[in-house]
Amino acid sequence: MRFFIHTYGCQMNVRDSEAVAAMLEAAGHEHAAAEQDAELVIVNSCTVRDMAERKAVGKCGNLIAAKEGRGKSRSARSAAEGCVKVVGLMGCAVKRMGADVFKSLPGLDFAVGPRRFGMIPRLVERVLAGERRILELPDADEVPVGLDAHPDVRRGANGFACFQSYVTVLLGCDNRCSYCIVPDVRGHEYSRPAREVVAEVASLAARGVKEVCLLGQSVLRYGRRNPAWGECDAPSPGGFHEPFPRLLEALNATPGLERIRFTSAHPGGCTDELVRAYRTLPRVCRHLHLPVQSGSDRVLKEMGRHYTRAEYLAAVAKLRAFDPEFAVTTDVIVGYPGETEADFEATRSLMEEAGFDNAFVFKYSPRPGTRAAALPDDVPTEEKERRDQVLLADQQRRGLERNSRLVGTVRKVLAEGPSLRNSARWSGRDSGNRIVAFEPKGQIAPGTLVSVRIVEAHPQILIGEMQESGCA
Ligand code: 5AD
Ligand code: SF4
């Protein structure tokens, strides 16, 4: 069957969708370039905020309407012109909704929670054999199959980049932050054995991948809950003892690999060893996404984040001490229950002190079953919106300020391809994950490392001149 996957949510979902695409291809199905050409359409859902869940469920509803020939909305009509026969829902919203998913979506053929995506090829067979409304909900400790399935990266198949790849290293989350539904839907922490990760990255690099991004909800906790090293228990040349820096050290030696990134992090994991790994392992990119959520000690305590504002700032200072250009990005929630104007101002000032290179701001959304959902959602929507806008305006100014310091520097950029806005320019990213646009010189291929001298700074992008063709 020709299939298409719509992905909502975070990088973890993007990675799960890729694995499903690879498994469906291995089972003889064919990836469709567009939804209209697909007979099997799968929606990979997110539930981190109410709106995210609504989007995925709404999309699924439209597809089902098209499948049943009763398309009303515009998107259902366009899908109806297509040939959709089977509709499946996967991911976080399925686990949150459980069997209720079929109350909202009675025409759904199958629904699969996060750790069971490996069953999808088999579920498609069962649907083709006549079964309907199949529900697969994973247990919190389940180990998925298919974690290492990748589409054919040499071809850049399925529209996936052929020189960058996500690699899941840590599943689930055991930090029970008061507002967050992720531990309920993605289950307990499970670290993949290091030898498995090392082999997966080596195989990707041998197939032309230049950059990997290691994924985990709290990735620095890799190997802390369950032994992760397994048979890979070789001595660490750098003398690392903690599992995550050891993993970085092992991956740093992968032939052909240029860059290692990882996300997302909790400041508790910013140990001296991690800083030493950043400093001494040349392929490890100098960027950390370190969600802070709030700058108010009172709110941080209520959220159960297990750090204070001062501890958070100390972690950032530690990273910037050995490299002032080290990029730190963050997530912030505005309008948490009981967040006062003073709490909000504390977040504002923390963001200024931390000097974030980029920030994502989210309006608090109560999630059923979380501790915070029992508290009154008492910050009015308009006030959440105002706080959101204030932080975004601050960040635009701060982004410009931070980027302006880089004018005149020469940065190594992994070229990605022609820029979407201006096809005469290419864009890529520097080690700090900053977007850099430049005019290519000579023939360069996506995935080439080039040197770019920065001539202009904007809040979200740097413009530069490529120094020479070929590898930097
Ligand atoms: N409401 C708003 N934002 C949330 N996040 C997680 N849970 C919620 C919620 N209930 C945000 C956090 C997290 C990011 C992925 O989503 O900032 O870091
Ligand atoms: Fe959404 Fe969180 Fe699930 Fe990612 S892990 S898809 S952000 S609910």
Side-chain angles (χ1 to χ4, degrees):
M1 272 190 135
R2 286 189 309 274
F3 68 89
F4 191 86
I5 309 178
H6 281 280
T7 307
Y8 296 87
C10 63
Q11 293 102 324
M12 202 74 83
N13 263 18
V14 173
R15 173 67 201 115
D16 291 349
S17 292
E18 278 180 2
V20 170
M23 285 185 277
L24 285 171
E25 285 194 334
H29 302 284
E30 189 194 332
H31 186 262
E35 175 193 315
Q36 285 79 356
D37 302 329
E39 297 153 294
L40 161 65
V41 183
I42 300 171
V43 175
N44 193 355
S45 60
C46 172
T47 186
V48 74
R49 287 169 293 278
D50 184 50
M51 190 56 91
E53 184 176 296
R54 279 173 197 263
K55 277 189 193 156
V57 172
K59 177 75 196 166
C60 226
N62 286 343
L63 288 162
I64 291 166
K67 174 179 79 148
E68 293 171 350
R70 50 177 182 82
K72 286 192 195 87
S73 72
R74 199 188 310 148
S75 90
R77 258 205 313 277
S78 69
E81 288 160 13
C83 39
V84 57
K85 294 190 181 77
V86 178
V87 178
L89 184 64
M90 63 183 274
C92 296
V94 172
K95 177 71 177 167
R96 194 201 71 73
M97 295 168 88
D100 284 351
V101 70
F102 296 113
K103 285 190 196 146
S104 307
L105 299 166
L108 190 63
D109 296 305
F110 63 85
V112 196
R115 294 193 185 193
R116 287 210 180 158
F117 60 78
M119 300 177 85
I120 287 180
R122 176 77 194 110
L123 300 185
V124 172
E125 276 178 35
R126 283 167 58 189
V127 170
L128 293 179
E131 263 187 83
R132 287 289 173 274
R133 296 201 195 181
I134 308 171
L135 180 63
E136 293 289 348
L137 295 177
D139 299 326
D141 283 310
E142 212 163 297
V143 180
V145 292
L147 276 172
D148 60 352
H150 286 268
D152 187 346
V153 284
R154 275 164 309 189
R155 284 188 291 123
N158 305 335
F160 300 132
C162 51
F163 56 91
Q164 289 166 315
S165 205
Y166 290 124
V167 173
T168 303
V169 299
L170 178 73
L171 308 170
C173 187
D174 290 340
N175 297 337
R176 308 268 340 177
C177 302
S178 63
Y179 52 84
C180 188
I181 195 155
V182 171
D184 295 330
V185 294
R186 287 232 171 225
H188 289 146
E189 270 180 20
Y190 167 77
S191 298
R192 291 178 66 201
R195 67 188 142 76
E196 233 177 83
V197 176
V198 170
E200 184 174 329
V201 171
S203 126
L204 287 166
R207 291 150 73 192
V209 167
K210 302 285 177 214
E211 177 179 299
V212 290
C213 179
L214 311 177
L215 299 180
Q217 294 299 339
S218 191
V219 73
L220 304 181
R221 280 186 50 82
Y222 175 77
R224 290 189 180 260
R225 180 172 182 260
N226 61 321
W229 213 250
E231 290 155 27
C232 226
D233 207 359
S236 153
F240 291 107
H241 299 284
E242 295 168 8
F244 190 67
R246 280 186 73 168
L247 181 68
L248 293 178
E249 183 185 39
L251 297 178
N252 189 67
T254 311
L257 190 70
E258 300 281 4
R259 284 180 163 179
I260 303 164
R261 301 187 183 279
F262 41 90
T263 196
S264 191
H266 183 278
C270 287
T271 60
D272 293 344
E273 277 206 5
L274 181 77
V275 174
R276 190 154 63 81
Y278 272 121
R279 194 163 40 80
T280 59
L281 304 172
R283 296 192 169 118
V284 175
C285 290
R286 294 190 170 181
H287 167 230
L288 189 61
H289 186 64
L290 196 61
V292 65
Q293 314 299 3
S294 172
S296 150
D297 277 335
R298 192 190 66 78
V299 174
L300 287 172
K301 191 152 192 223
E302 295 244 327
M303 287 176 162
R305 293 289 295 169
H306 304 293
Y307 54 81
T308 61
R309 170 192 179 97
E311 283 163 350
Y312 182 91
L313 288 169
V316 174
K318 208 155 129 180
L319 294 166
R320 295 241 174 90
F322 81 95
D323 178 2
E325 290 176 4
F326 190 103
V328 182
T329 57
T330 203
D331 291 342
V332 171
I333 296 177
V334 289
Y336 183 80
E339 185 187 68
T340 63
E341 188 60 25
D343 293 323
F344 170 66
E345 285 300 328
T347 298
R348 249 187 119 178
S349 70
L350 174 132
M351 291 179 77
E352 199 54 41
E353 277 181 54
F356 291 121
D357 293 275
N358 205 352
F360 301 90
V361 182
F362 301 103
K363 286 171 264 187
Y364 171 72
S365 162
R367 305 310 292 131
T370 59
R371 272 181 288 134
L375 304 170
D377 181 13
D378 55 1
V379 178
T381 309
E382 315 77 66
E383 182 57 18
K384 285 181 186 165
E385 183 61 38
R386 187 191 70 83
R387 293 180 186 180
D388 182 18
Q389 292 303 323
V390 169
L391 296 187
L392 288 177
D394 284 356
Q395 186 55 45
Q396 282 290 99
R397 178 191 37 77
R398 187 179 308 117
L400 178 59
E401 255 168 47
R402 287 202 58 82
N403 280 346
S404 298
R405 299 183 199 184
L406 302 176
V407 172
T409 62
V410 175
R411 320 208 60 80
K412 284 192 175 179
V413 174
L414 191 73
E416 291 178 7
S419 133
L420 290 178
R421 283 200 201 146
N422 174 356
S423 59
R425 274 187 183 153
W426 273 47
S427 75
R429 285 174 189 264
D430 76 351
S431 172
N433 212 31
R434 303 173 187 96
I435 301 171
V436 180
F438 59 94
E439 280 181 24
K441 283 195 184 147
Q443 280 291 317
I444 56 168
T448 310
L449 260 187
V450 296
S451 293
V452 178
R453 186 182 184 79
I454 304 305
V455 296
E456 206 180 301
H458 295 270
Q460 308 271 356
I461 189 171
L462 295 163
I463 314 282
E465 286 165 358
M466 188 175 145
Q467 297 294 285
E468 73 241 29
S469 66
C471 281

